Amino acid sequence: MTAQRTLILLKPDAVQRGLRGEILRRIEAKGYDIIALAQRTATSEELAAHYAEHEGKPFYPGLVEYMASAPLVALVAEGEGVIPGFRSLAGKTNPTEAAPGSIRGDLAREWDLPVIQNLVHGSDSEESASREIAIWFPELG
Ligand code: IDP
Ligand code: MG
């Protein structure tokens, strides 16, 4: 298998809860290389591009508002199988359903909010990874 790259976001709830170190530790402990990393507040243009597939869904306005509400950390991780590998480390979208041992299963929970707060984003395919890396790190394109 050849090395893949994936785009990971530590979402605003991860930054606000002081979980950057714990999540980065898990990525590094798994053995993936972090080849780019930046903390910033996302622009509405970046979020519109990043979440284009969800436009029109009931949770979309809440999702974009939450993602722009505070700084996030964007990073690119590299390694054989890193796209499905990080999705597996992250766990299911709903933190109540995410398995213990996963980032969302261990560190996140449900709240009575319009959008699911689940700490991390990870690209779901090679096509999404190239598209998303170009949004957050155009210099790697
Ligand atoms: P993923 O992050 O596990 O790939 P997606 O379906 O791509 O999940 O959804 C993007 C993000 O939108 C999720 O991580 C979560 O924050 C939010 N989200 C997804 N589905 C729902 C929902 O049904 N209600 C509220 N928020 C949702
Ligand atoms: Mg997704």
Side-chain angles (χ1 to χ4, degrees):
M1 196 183 238
T2 54
Q4 294 180 326
R5 288 181 176 182
T6 196
L7 186 281
I8 296 171
L9 299 177
L10 311 188
K11 296 181 178 184
D13 54 323
V15 176
Q16 285 174 322
R17 292 184 53 213
L19 291 170
R20 283 168 294 202
E22 170 64 19
I23 297 168
L24 292 172
R25 188 196 65 74
R26 289 174 182 227
I27 296 167
E28 290 195 306
K30 178 77 173 172
Y32 297 131
D33 292 323
I34 294 172
I35 61 162
L37 183 145
Q39 175 168 305
R40 63 170 178 270
T41 303
T43 65
S44 48
E45 291 75 21
E46 285 167 333
L47 292 173
H50 181 81
Y51 281 127
E53 66 173 307
H54 296 303
E55 204 187 333
K57 294 185 184 169
F59 61 84
Y60 178 80
L63 176 61
V64 172
E65 188 185 342
Y66 149 58
M67 293 295 291
S69 64
L72 52 72
V73 175
L75 61 124
V76 176
E78 186 175 81
E80 283 70 16
V82 71
I83 295 170
F86 180 75
R87 298 277 294 180
S88 178
L89 281 186
K92 284 191 181 178
T93 304
N94 181 329
T96 297
E97 295 170 4
S102 67
I103 292 166
R104 290 162 168 173
D106 285 349
L107 306 172
R109 53 160 282 191
E110 281 190 83
W111 302 92
D112 185 17
L113 293 170
V115 66
I116 295 170
Q117 300 212 342
N118 55 12
L119 301 173
V120 290
H121 164 85
S123 307
D124 63 10
S125 64
E126 291 198 23
E127 189 186 3
S128 302
S130 351
R131 195 180 67 77
E132 293 169 3
I133 289 167
I135 294 167
W136 298 96
F137 295 98
E139 67 274 19
L140 291 181

